[in-house]
Amino acid sequence: MDLGIPQVHFLCSGIKLDYIDLKTIQHYKDCQPLVNGLGYLLVDLKIVPSKTTVKISVVIASKDPSKDIGIEDCSKVHHSLLPRLEALLGTDDTYMEVTSPGMERNIKNAAEFEVFTGRDVRVWDKTVSDWVGGTIVKADASSVTLEDLETKEQKTVAFENIAKAKFIHL
């Protein structure tokens, strides 16, 4: 079967990046002010109960787009956030992992664009069937505005037209 350009475009056209308000994630609103007060942004919070323990996954980012997250940062958030989550969940039988977004992060939720304002990303824009890159200038519940790294021109891309997105690392 020949997978030429039109067919590849067709295969990608059904994919879109959904916007899920971070405030709707379980306990996000309870944890975000604490993480923010420590000097970080809460990117993602997953709480998965199992038979023997509750597994918690936390992703944090620096408020400053030019700074990376290190082990000390993750440890600081872990020590402050774990007691809060254990109190909220009513259990101390927990396993919690705190990580950075990573250099090659695929953006999984369109709401992350607002969190990552000031960072360089590239998005697969279905309207042009190509990657569009730039610095996130602003984002809302329906689109993201990127500033081209070279020309400084701005382009707004609706989330419904984004098949995937990831960080740019030079």
Side-chain angles (χ1 to χ4, degrees):
M1 180 177 186
D2 178 29
L3 288 178
I5 299 291
Q7 292 166 332
V8 171
H9 172 68
F10 175 75
L11 292 172
C12 290
S13 66
I15 301 169
K16 71 176 186 125
L17 194 61
D18 290 324
Y19 182 94
I20 301 163
D21 190 338
L22 296 175
K23 294 176 186 125
T24 64
I25 296 171
Q26 180 187 17
H27 297 300
Y28 182 91
K29 289 190 289 188
D30 300 310
C31 298
Q32 187 272 338
L34 176 64
V35 173
N36 194 45
L38 293 170
Y40 306 100
L41 301 170
L42 183 57
V43 176
D44 195 15
L45 174 67
K46 287 189 179 104
I47 300 170
V48 181
S50 67
K51 290 182 182 180
T52 58
T53 188
V54 176
K55 294 180 182 176
I56 304 166
S57 173
V58 178
V59 180
I60 61 168
S62 172
K63 287 182 178 180
D64 181 349
S66 67
K67 293 189 179 178
D68 293 327
I69 294 292
I71 292 171
E72 295 87 18
D73 303 307
C74 292
S75 178
K76 184 177 173 182
V77 171
H78 186 280
H79 285 102
S80 297
L81 194 55
L82 183 60
R84 164 86 46 96
L85 282 167
E86 287 177 337
L88 289 168
L89 298 170
T91 182
D92 62 356
D93 192 12
T94 57
Y95 169 80
M96 185 166 96
E97 180 179 78
V98 179
T99 63
S100 73
M103 290 175 48
E104 299 294 323
R105 181 174 180 83
N106 289 322
I107 295 176
K108 300 170 184 120
N109 174 1
E112 292 179 26
F113 285 112
E114 187 173 359
V115 174
F116 293 126
T117 298
R119 288 169 173 79
D120 298 337
V121 297
R122 62 184 183 140
V123 300
W124 182 266
D125 184 344
K126 294 184 293 185
T127 64
V128 294
S129 297
D130 200 1
W131 289 101
V132 175
T135 303
I136 301 171
V137 177
K138 65 180 177 177
D140 57 28
S142 62
S143 65
V144 61
T145 301
L146 304 175
E147 181 177 276
D148 186 277
L149 299 172
E150 294 174 10
T151 66
K152 303 299 181 194
E153 291 180 25
Q154 292 187 2
K155 177 176 180 163
T156 300
V157 184
F159 295 143
E160 65 190 29
N161 294 325
I162 297 175
K164 56 182 160 178
K166 62 187 328 175
F167 285 167
I168 297 175
H169 279 284
L170 305 171

